[in-house]
Amino acid sequence: MLDSSLLLEFSHNHCVAICAFLVPANVLSTLQTIAYVGLKRPANQVRLAVGLASLFAVLMVLHVFTWFMVGVVMLPTFVLLALGGICLSTNLWAVLQPQSVRRVLFYLGRKLRVLRATATSEATLS
């Protein structure tokens, strides 16, 4: 059986390396989930992406909780906790309400096209 003190010690001794891996892994895997939903990939591929992204998010939250257990309450712990929570909730949203995610992506794409067209027309006028 695994000793919890060994896991806590590992988490604290390798905090920078753990965070250096988990932060980009969280962001990229969550973006992959959103992209899969936006591209209307099959449900099993979306669920696989959600599973992987949720694993990274849960690991991030557990890593932050190890710091809370020893009394480290600082801004980076709250930022990492928020990142893990936002990634976890975004993945849950993507798997439970993919139509809603697609609508938001369509709306954002339309706004981006308008902004790009406005910037292009202003650049040609100058």
Side-chain angles (χ1 to χ4, degrees), residues 14 20 31 35 40 44 58 60 64 92-93 107 123 126:
H14 302 286
L31 284 175
K40 297 183 181 179
N44 61 346
V58 167
M60 172 79 76
V64 170
L92 188 62
W93 177 39
Y107 174 78
S126 300

Side-chain angles (χ1 to χ4, degrees), residues 45-59:
Q45 288 182 354
V46 173
R47 282 193 300 271
L48 183 63
V50 165
L52 183 64
S54 297
L55 173 70
F56 291 142
V58 167
L59 286 174

Side-chain angles (χ1 to χ4, degrees), residues 89-100:
S89 61
T90 301
N91 286 302
L92 188 62
W93 177 39
V95 79
L96 294 177
Q97 298 290 327
Q99 289 298 107
S100 173

Side-chain angles (χ1 to χ4, degrees), residues 64-115:
V64 170
F65 282 160
T66 65
W67 284 106
F68 285 152
M69 289 171 61
V70 295
V72 175
V73 181
M74 295 172 38
L75 182 63
T77 54
F78 290 112
V79 170
L80 292 173
L81 185 61
L83 175 67
I86 289 169
C87 288
L88 201 55
S89 61
T90 301
N91 286 302
L92 188 62
W93 177 39
V95 79
L96 294 177
Q97 298 290 327
Q99 289 298 107
S100 173
V101 175
R102 279 190 207 104
R103 278 196 308 268
V104 169
L105 290 174
F106 179 74
Y107 174 78
L108 290 174
R110 195 172 51 209
K111 289 293 182 185
L112 185 63
R113 273 186 241 114
V114 169
L115 274 173

